[in-house]
Amino acid sequence: MTEPYDLILRGGTCVLPWGLEQTSVGVRFGRIAALGVPADAAARETFDARGLYVLPGLIDPHVHLRDPGGEGVESLPTGTKAAVLGGIAAVFDMPNTSPPVTDADRVAWKQAYAERDSWCDFGLYVGATKSNIGELAALERMRGVAAIKVFAGSSTGTLMVEDDEHLERIMRSGHRRVAYHAEDEYRLRERKSLFKLGDPYCCHMDWRDPEVAFRATRRLMALARRTGRPAHILHMTTAEEFSYIKDFRDIATCEVLATHLTQVAPEVYERLGGYGVMNPPVRDARHREAAWAAVRDGTVDCLGSDHAPHPRSAKERPWPSCSSGLTGVQTLLPVMLDHVHAGRLSLARLVDLMAAGPAWVYGILGKGRLAAGYDADFTLVDLARRQRIENSWIASPCGWTPYDGMTVTGWPVATIIRGHVVMRENEVLGTPQGRLVTFAG
Ligand code: DOR
Ligand code: ZN
């Protein structure tokens, strides 16, 4: 090669699809041009990656950026800034905004906004409602759309499709994988009267009990089997679901959240009160162990944060009037690297769950692997760095993290998207460079 590279990452330990290798990576035109670049190759920019691990740009396929409607706690620019600070190269944003993203105009608005103001690459979900079913097949083909999202049970916002008849009609409209919030609305309504305002925060996991989640997943698996439409169960939490889904791997994939691998009940509710409340809830150690077993045995396809900022005032209200949802896009990788350090999963499995996994689940083109021809997205990490996570580090305007005060080992040092270094040493660099993610289908 006689032309200089645009960028060379020199001497890092690269997590390649075929294993770890200390090698230099050359970037041209925003793509990986070559691995094993020789020491004397010319480049416009060089990044000394010695001592660091070079991962494919990691993807958080589950964030709620609150834009439009909740910009005071999070916006598209602040949430994507938080992402790159946390070593995340692309996020997929949920549709339960105010107003929700449920039609072509709102998708077009978010496409243009992301292309102007996103710090990382960007995908978006379209919310299914009982009245937009006829448009879903066209909506899922719009640029940057990661999937149709269905809330089968009520959570934050107004989106919900709870009954089998409408769920089946959604599955018969379009063909790409549909992402589900799997909690059974009927059981939630039945159980609500068992509790009262001011009950302890840990009642959240009794109201939204394991059967609430398992029943929804059973119904969705039956419908997916009947219609043949691929299903993705977001934030799976129960031992029963991890076991059940094994019989549906021809049509179903699933996600686990770092929160459900890390936090445990009842301790989380005693320590954090409303700041531990989310849907589906943090459960007891039996379910957390089942989630880890599912990570280890390959049942889990991808990891997410379910980054869901709320104002402190809403988190501090008595249960159940406190808002559900925890921040997480910025802490997802630090917390997972700490699990790597503790030996709970390998670095290779972490990368599989945060790069190749989402690429498979959502049909991402050109991302998810560190290989020639792919987008030059990289997450550089220092596996030995010990750092304390603090509220003051959080870029989201809501200003809090459930991990405040936790010291982790392993830290993101740089985030690079399509050859642009957008974060280095806890500093966001340049101007927003985000583009819409491209999907197959
Ligand atoms: O806890 C949650 N918060 N679960 C959800 O499904 C939605 C999210 C939010 O948007 O606040
Ligand atoms: Zn969510």
Side-chain angles (χ1 to χ4, degrees):
M1 154 120 7
T2 49
E3 283 291 302
Y5 291 103
D6 296 329
L7 169 70
I8 296 179
L9 305 182
R10 284 210 192 274
T13 302
C14 296
V15 181
L16 304 177
W18 51 89
L20 293 181
E21 213 166 284
Q22 190 179 6
T23 189
S24 295
V25 185
V27 172
R28 293 188 77 213
F29 309 125
R31 301 276 182 87
I32 297 172
L35 304 171
V37 170
D40 60 354
R44 295 191 178 87
E45 188 183 351
T46 298
F47 192 116
D48 182 2
R50 284 172 300 172
L52 301 177
Y53 284 76
V54 179
L55 322 182
L58 300 182
I59 299 165
D60 184 347
H62 192 157
V63 301
H64 299 258
L65 298 189
R66 306 297 187 220
D67 201 343
E71 299 88 335
V73 288
E74 190 70 289
S75 65
L76 189 150
T78 60
T80 55
K81 195 176 271 191
V84 299
L85 283 166
I88 300 297
V91 296
F92 299 170
D93 187 27
M94 287 293 173
N96 58 332
T97 45
S98 184
V101 176
T102 50
D103 64 29
D105 285 349
R106 291 182 194 151
V107 172
W109 176 83
K110 209 184 256 191
Q111 286 171 334
Y113 190 7
E115 287 183 315
R116 197 175 59 238
D117 284 335
S118 182
W119 287 91
C120 61
D121 281 358
F122 197 89
L124 61 145
Y125 293 86
V126 175
T129 69
K130 288 174 194 166
S131 51
N132 73 355
I133 296 176
E135 296 155 53
L136 293 177
L139 290 169
E140 73 170 2
R141 300 163 84 118
M142 289 182 75
R143 279 189 321 120
V145 171
I148 302 299
K149 163 77 182 277
V150 180
F151 284 89
S154 49
S155 191
T156 300
T158 55
L159 291 174
M160 190 186 23
V161 180
E162 74 279 29
D163 63 290
D164 282 9
E165 186 201 326
H166 284 99
L167 289 169
E168 179 163 351
R169 282 177 54 202
I170 290 167
M171 290 185 196
R172 294 194 188 280
S173 310
H175 70 278
R176 293 179 58 199
R177 190 178 299 276
V178 177
Y180 297 97
H181 180 112
E183 288 190 289
D184 185 277
E185 180 63 16
Y186 303 106
R187 185 170 170 89
L188 281 176
R189 285 181 197 158
E190 266 166 42
R191 295 179 62 73
K192 188 115 200 208
S193 62
L194 302 176
F195 305 95
K196 61 177 193 309
L197 184 68
D199 275 348
Y201 289 100
C202 66
C203 287
H204 199 63
M205 66 168 178
D206 298 328
W207 172 36
R208 293 177 176 262
D209 71 355
E211 181 60 16
V212 163
F214 188 26
R215 186 175 294 183
T217 292
R218 288 200 308 271
R219 286 174 48 211
L220 290 165
M221 289 300 100
L223 290 167
R225 173 72 76 222
R226 172 130 49 101
T227 59
R229 185 78 180 268
H232 182 55
I233 304 294
L234 297 158
H235 42 43
M236 198 176 260
T237 51
T238 68
E240 290 73 21
E241 290 168 285
F242 290 118
S243 165
Y244 191 76
I245 200 181
K246 292 192 170 112
D247 286 339
F248 294 89
R249 296 316 309 259
D250 52 325
I251 48 162
T253 52
C254 70
E255 171 194 78
V256 158
L257 303 183
T259 312
H260 294 127
L261 293 171
T262 310
Q263 307 283 16
V264 72
E267 185 269 340
V268 72
Y269 300 104
E270 285 155 12
R271 186 166 47 88
L272 296 176
Y275 291 96
V277 170
M278 63 170 301
N279 308 328
V282 177
R283 305 189 195 279
D284 64 25
R286 179 174 82 88
H287 295 290
R288 184 172 67 171
E289 271 324 297
W292 275 112
V295 162
R296 292 194 193 102
D297 74 11
T299 302
V300 177
D301 297 283
C302 63
L303 268 181
S305 71
D306 198 1
H307 178 70
H310 290 280
R312 285 179 179 278
S313 56
K315 295 300 281 177
E316 289 169 8
R317 287 196 295 255
W319 187 84
S321 63
C322 59
S323 296
S324 292
L326 311 178
T327 62
V329 69
Q330 200 172 330
T331 49
L332 171 61
L333 180 59
V335 165
M336 290 310 302
L337 288 174
D338 195 59
H339 287 307
V340 170
H341 176 74
R344 297 190 188 98
L345 81 169
S346 66
L347 184 63
R349 180 63 169 138
L350 171 63
V351 169
D352 180 49
L353 288 165
M354 296 185 69
W360 147 243
V361 168
Y362 295 91
I364 305 169
L365 297 176
K367 294 191 189 294
R369 262 181 124 211
L370 221 166
Y374 277 71
D375 283 356
D377 299 346
F378 308 100
T379 299
L380 277 70
V381 302
D382 180 343
L383 288 184
R385 190 178 299 186
R386 272 173 68 75
Q387 189 131 350
R388 206 173 128 100
I389 296 172
E390 282 172 359
N391 284 336
S392 59
W393 178 60
I394 295 299
S396 306
C398 72
W400 58 269
T401 163
Y403 299 106
D404 180 51
M406 176 181 178
T407 297
V408 296
T409 303
W411 197 257
V413 169
T415 310
I416 299 174
I417 59 169
R418 288 167 292 94
H420 304 281
V421 182
V422 293
M423 185 280 283
R424 190 166 190 169
E425 291 292 351
N426 285 322
E427 228 186 289
V428 173
L429 303 173
T431 55
Q433 297 291 335
R435 293 277 172 272
L436 294 174
V437 174
T438 311
F439 298 92

